[in-house]
């Protein structure tokens, strides 16, 4: 079956984004399918903000602060220019891609990719809600697969809403789109209730696609020459730019007491004054695998830490991003372990995880299509 996948793929420093994109393709290839990435780039597909709304933003301190932070992230590209992590090489070598890059939803409508089935997911492909409905309508219709032939099957695999609830306006817009799906699954159990409100009561909870492959599969990515040389024991600290109470100084004090080095990596444009590394994707996996401890605010770093059996602390996100913490809660539930929320309590990360009970249900396209709503 020829399968076109709509997901995130363009990052040059977010490791989880590329690995989840790779994992779903690889899993489908092993089943004999022909998956490919639909290279839809939504970053310039937002509808413009009116002058009135721009003016109102100036008088809203919180929105103004978020706008300034966003612009600073875009302008601070020195780190990306000076420290290439070879993500383009990973895409080229491991991810099958459409020849065409779709720069807008209208291009998807006018010249849709040919496929027997479209899959949207995983990652936060259904998280639009920091914007107004009018501003993100193109993205919403694209990621709810509102293009192509009506005969093409439509599936979501482990799509994330990134929220516990959405507004009535979004529900009204999404409901007729979701009803066209043949099968729906979401990455967080909390997302099942949103699906019900959008008229799809038979949605299922499915794990992130990175969990469809074994830890040994990922270990094949890195050879000894691709690892960083770390003669001493270390704690791996991986931090995304999402807001959280991440106290690097406290982690440094704790690591010093335990005679551990710190290996520090950031992504999503986060920059600070601390020394850090800029690993490739194989090196990033190796750094997690060989760490004594991992401290992170990243969902996918948490996934690979658990796959590799690491002692782990996860820093929760704070408002307005705290709804994204549900994805970690679902992950802890999937692994049948006590939550590893790290809020300065270093004892929590001393606990090892018994992963012997982890059983990932198979995802067979032919089988799930029988679950059509």
């Amino acid at each position: 079956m020829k399968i076109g996948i709509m997901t995130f793929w363009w990052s040059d420093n977010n490791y989880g984004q590329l690995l989840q994109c790779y994992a779903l393709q690889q899993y489908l290839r092993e089943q004999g399918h022909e998956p490919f990435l639909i290279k839809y780039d939504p970053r310039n597909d937002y509808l413009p903000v009116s002058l009135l709304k721009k003016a109102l933003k100036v008088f809203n301190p919180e929105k103004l602060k978020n706008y300034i932070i966003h612009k600073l992230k875009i302008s601070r590209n020195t780190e990306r220019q000076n420290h290439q992590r070879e993500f383009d090489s990973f895409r080229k070598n491991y991810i099958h891609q459409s020849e065409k890059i779709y720069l807008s939803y209208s291009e998807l409508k006018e010249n849709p990719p040919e496929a027997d089935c479209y899959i949207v997911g995983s990652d936060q492909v259904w998280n639009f809600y920091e914007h107004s409905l009018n501003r993100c309508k193109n993205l919403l219709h694209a990621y709810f697969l509102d293009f192509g032939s009506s005969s093409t099957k439509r599936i979501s695999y482990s799509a994330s809403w990134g929220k516990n609830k959405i507004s009535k306006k979004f529900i009204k817009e999404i409901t007729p789109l979701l009803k066209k799906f043949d099968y729906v699954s979401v990455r967080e159990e909390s997302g099942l209730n949103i699906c019900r409100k959008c008229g799809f009561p038979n949605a299922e909870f499915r794990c992130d696609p990175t969990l469809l492959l074994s830890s040994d599969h990922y270990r094949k990515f890195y050879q000894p020459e691709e690892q960083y040389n770390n003669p001493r024991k270390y704690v791996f600290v991986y931090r995304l730019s999402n807001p959280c109470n991440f106290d690097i100084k406290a982690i440094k004090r704790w690591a010093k007491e335990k005679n551990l080095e710190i290996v520090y990596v950031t992504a999503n444009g986060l920059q600070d004054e601390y020394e850090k590394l800029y690993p490739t994707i194989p090196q990033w996996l190796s750094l997690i695998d060989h760490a004594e401890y991992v401290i992170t605010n990243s969902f996918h770093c948490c996934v690979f830490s658990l796959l590799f059996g690491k002692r782990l602390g996860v820093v929760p996100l704070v408002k307005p991003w705290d709804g994204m913490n549900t994805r970690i809660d679902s992950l802890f539930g999937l692994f049948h372990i006590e939550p590893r929320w790290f809020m300065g309590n270093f004892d929590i990360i001393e606990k090892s995880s018994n992963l012997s009970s982890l059983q990932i249900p198979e995802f067979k396209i032919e089988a799930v299509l029988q679950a059509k709503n």
Side-chain angles (χ1 to χ4, degrees), residues 10-14 43 73-74 76-85 267-271 278:
W10 56 85
S11 176
D12 55 11
N13 61 34
N14 187 314
R43 288 173 288 182
K73 286 180 184 177
I74 293 174
R76 290 175 178 172
N77 57 8
T78 304
E79 178 265 332
R80 295 183 179 183
Q81 292 173 353
N82 295 340
H83 302 282
Q84 297 298 321
R85 311 189 201 202
N268 277 12
L270 177 65
Q271 295 186 61
Y278 304 92

Side-chain angles (χ1 to χ4, degrees), residues 12-28:
D12 55 11
N13 61 34
N14 187 314
Y15 301 87
Q17 182 189 107
L18 266 291
L19 284 165
Q20 65 85 23
C21 182
Y22 161 80
L24 183 56
Q25 278 201 15
Q26 179 61 27
Y27 186 76
L28 293 172

Side-chain angles (χ1 to χ4, degrees), residues 19 48 85 94 107 122 158 208 219 276 283:
L19 284 165
R85 311 189 201 202
Y94 295 107
E107 291 183 7
S122 179
S158 188
D208 189 84
R219 288 187 174 109
K276 54 183 68 68
Q283 290 169 340

Side-chain angles (χ1 to χ4, degrees), residues 268-286:
N268 277 12
L270 177 65
Q271 295 186 61
D272 55 33
E273 69 274 21
Y274 300 106
E275 181 180 355
K276 54 183 68 68
L277 297 179
Y278 304 92
T280 64
I281 289 176
Q283 290 169 340
W284 185 79
L285 290 168
S286 173

Side-chain angles (χ1 to χ4, degrees), residues 152-167:
T152 301
K153 301 298 183 181
R154 286 164 171 78
I155 288 174
S156 77
Y157 181 81
S158 188
S160 175
W161 298 95
K163 301 286 181 186
N164 293 321
K165 58 184 179 180
I166 61 176
S167 71

Side-chain angles (χ1 to χ4, degrees), residues 139-344:
L139 283 75
L140 185 150
H141 280 258
Y143 284 112
F144 278 94
L145 306 179
D146 190 21
F147 57 86
S149 170
S150 60
S151 63
T152 301
K153 301 298 183 181
R154 286 164 171 78
I155 288 174
S156 77
Y157 181 81
S158 188
S160 175
W161 298 95
K163 301 286 181 186
N164 293 321
K165 58 184 179 180
I166 61 176
S167 71
K168 291 181 179 179
K169 285 184 178 180
F170 277 95
I171 290 174
K172 184 178 179 181
E173 189 77 18
I174 290 169
T175 296
L177 304 177
L178 200 61
K179 285 185 176 180
K180 296 178 182 179
F181 276 61
D182 297 274
Y183 172 81
V184 172
S185 66
V186 291
R187 196 174 66 182
E188 293 85 40
E189 292 180 285
S190 60
L192 297 174
N193 186 50
I194 301 178
C195 290
R196 285 190 285 268
K197 290 184 177 181
C198 292
F200 207 106
N202 297 329
E204 295 183 355
F205 166 58
R206 290 270 182 173
C207 69
D208 189 84
T210 51
L211 288 163
L212 296 173
L213 306 177
S214 69
S215 57
D216 286 338
H217 182 100
Y218 293 110
R219 288 187 174 109
K220 294 176 184 177
F221 272 117
Y222 52 85
Q223 302 300 319
E225 63 271 16
E226 293 176 310
Q227 299 179 29
Y228 279 108
N229 291 321
N230 295 288
R232 291 185 59 198
K233 294 182 178 180
Y234 63 91
V235 53
F236 181 66
V237 180
Y238 179 61
R239 183 181 179 187
L240 301 180
S241 59
N242 297 334
C244 61
N245 297 318
F246 212 116
D247 192 343
I248 295 294
K249 291 182 179 179
I251 295 172
K252 281 180 170 287
R253 291 193 296 268
W254 170 80
K256 185 176 181 180
E257 291 174 0
K258 298 198 60 86
N259 197 29
L260 294 170
E261 289 188 355
I262 288 183
V263 174
Y264 183 42
V265 176
T266 61
N268 277 12
L270 177 65
Q271 295 186 61
D272 55 33
E273 69 274 21
Y274 300 106
E275 181 180 355
K276 54 183 68 68
L277 297 179
Y278 304 92
T280 64
I281 289 176
Q283 290 169 340
W284 185 79
L285 290 168
S286 173
L287 286 169
I288 297 173
D289 194 11
H290 293 91
E292 296 296 313
Y293 302 88
V294 176
I295 299 176
T296 186
N297 65 346
S298 156
F299 170 80
H300 282 108
C301 185
C302 184
V303 167
F304 287 104
S305 298
L306 293 173
L307 272 178
F308 292 142
K310 300 289 104 175
R311 288 175 286 185
L312 170 70
V314 186
V315 181
L317 305 185
V318 297
K319 290 183 177 180
W321 299 85
D322 54 335
M324 290 164 58
N325 292 326
T326 58
R327 57 189 181 157
I328 307 291
D329 285 322
S330 291
L331 192 61
F332 291 146
L334 182 69
F335 278 87
H336 305 291
I337 62 172
E338 181 183 345
R340 301 293 194 268
W341 291 116
F342 173 69
M343 292 172 281

